[in-house]
Amino acid sequence: MRKKIVAGNWKMHTLLKEGMELAEKVERFSKEKGDDVIVVIAPPFTHLSKIREVTDLVKLAAQNCSSEESGAYTGEVSPDMLLSAGAEYVILGHSERRAYYHEDNHLLNKKIRLALDKGLKPIYCCGEVLAEREAGKLFEVVKDQLTVGLQGLNTAQFSQVIIAYEPVWAIGTGITATPAQAQEMHAFIRNLIADMYDDRIAGETTILYGGSCKPSNARELFANPDVDGGLIGGASLKAEDFIQIVNAF
Ligand code: PEP
């Protein structure tokens, strides 16, 4: 079902104690706000199980998972491990994973399928780099990321997937997509999903915007008909900013 979601991607920030304090603040706020918006935080792997002890309304995401179920894969973390540590969601296909760890759409498809088989909800990121936008290839790039990354998912599986459109030129740069740019791509993504599945499923899909979303611009981004919330990096590390973004709905 289409939901309003604000998810905080903490990346490789916070030590355990600060992470716990941040999570506790977000949880306190969520209790006051109620359950109109689903609030998700994605701390580092090492924090998940401790943060699970101090959160209830706030849901937990991992920032990545292995494409393998178990075995001799030193340094990898499996979906089952994440579930056992309290994660419900997993961010997959973040541009930093694509750029620095060479994760491509085929590998991401394998990760998404395994995560879904195990019961984790993927937050699948897509988005073009600046050169692709300037060359007019943004729709082609995003179409490829979605069609290959989501290949072979049946309707029930796809209903568990959240899409995050994150133009790479906006991530961590302070340059935010305009509401019109965000809406244009979100509408494109929704139409693409209608082609891949059908109109009803497209209408029920949650599509988040990510890329320098902050308290000063969240309201105008979230006001777009096809923007169902945000994936927030930098601004999720300050409880006050993150809370203001959740309140922007
Ligand atoms: C992100 O990394 O997913 C992100 C959106 O980062 P920021 O909000 O800092 O641009």
Side-chain angles (χ1 to χ4, degrees):
M1 213 184 69
R2 188 158 165 186
K3 298 179 183 106
K4 293 177 185 168
I5 298 180
V6 177
N9 173 14
W10 293 6
K11 311 193 186 193
M12 199 168 71
H13 293 294
T14 73
L15 299 183
L16 182 57
K17 187 168 171 290
E18 323 164 53
M20 298 274 290
E21 285 165 7
L22 179 54
E24 278 168 333
K25 282 188 192 161
V26 178
E27 175 70 21
R28 269 200 300 279
F29 154 77
S30 291
K31 285 220 169 85
E32 285 159 26
K33 177 153 176 80
D35 54 9
D36 176 36
V37 179
I38 298 178
V39 178
V40 179
I41 53 175
F45 288 142
T46 48
H47 301 12
L48 284 169
S49 61
K50 288 299 281 181
I51 288 185
R52 182 69 189 92
E53 291 170 13
V54 297
T55 50
D56 174 24
L57 273 182
V58 173
K59 305 301 174 198
L60 298 189
Q63 298 174 20
N64 180 29
C65 72
S66 176
S67 58
E68 303 297 332
E69 200 171 333
S70 68
Y73 300 101
T74 302
E76 288 289 275
V77 178
S78 73
D80 280 333
M81 292 170 184
L82 297 174
L83 285 160
S84 76
E88 248 181 74
Y89 297 82
V90 58
I91 299 172
L92 290 171
H94 191 280
S95 67
E96 288 150 18
R97 302 270 346 149
R98 292 178 186 267
Y100 308 146
Y101 302 97
H102 313 294
E103 296 195 4
D104 65 15
N105 296 327
H106 294 281
L107 174 71
L108 292 166
N109 180 247
K110 199 171 170 199
K111 290 190 177 198
I112 290 171
R113 285 166 181 248
L114 181 64
L116 286 166
D117 277 356
K118 295 296 181 179
L120 276 174
K121 299 182 186 87
I123 300 175
Y124 180 49
C125 304
C126 59
E128 77 289 354
V129 300
L130 188 58
E132 291 164 339
R133 174 167 280 265
E134 287 176 346
K137 291 191 172 153
L138 63 165
F139 298 111
E140 195 184 310
V141 168
V142 169
K143 183 175 179 182
D144 205 41
Q145 291 168 334
L146 293 180
T147 48
V148 179
L150 301 173
Q151 204 165 22
L153 303 192
N154 64 31
T155 312
Q157 288 171 314
F158 180 72
S159 70
Q160 300 302 302
V161 176
I162 290 139
I163 309 283
Y165 169 56
E166 298 208 299
V168 182
W169 46 270
I171 296 181
T173 58
I175 302 165
T176 317
T178 64
Q181 286 171 324
Q183 171 56 27
E184 184 184 35
M185 183 58 88
H186 283 229
F188 171 80
I189 292 171
R190 209 176 289 288
N191 283 331
L192 182 65
I193 295 165
D195 290 344
M196 291 165 70
Y197 294 92
D198 60 38
D199 285 347
R200 184 186 59 80
I201 291 172
E204 287 180 354
T205 303
T206 303
I207 309 175
L208 310 181
Y209 167 79
S212 298
C213 182
K214 38 197 173 204
S216 58
N217 58 31
R219 193 173 296 278
E220 52 179 9
L221 286 162
F222 297 172
N224 284 294
D226 288 301
V227 177
D228 304 310
L231 180 55
I232 318 298
S236 70
L237 293 168
K238 272 200 196 147
E240 299 68 26
D241 288 356
F242 188 59
I243 285 167
Q244 277 191 54
I245 294 173
V246 179
N247 270 331
F249 271 113

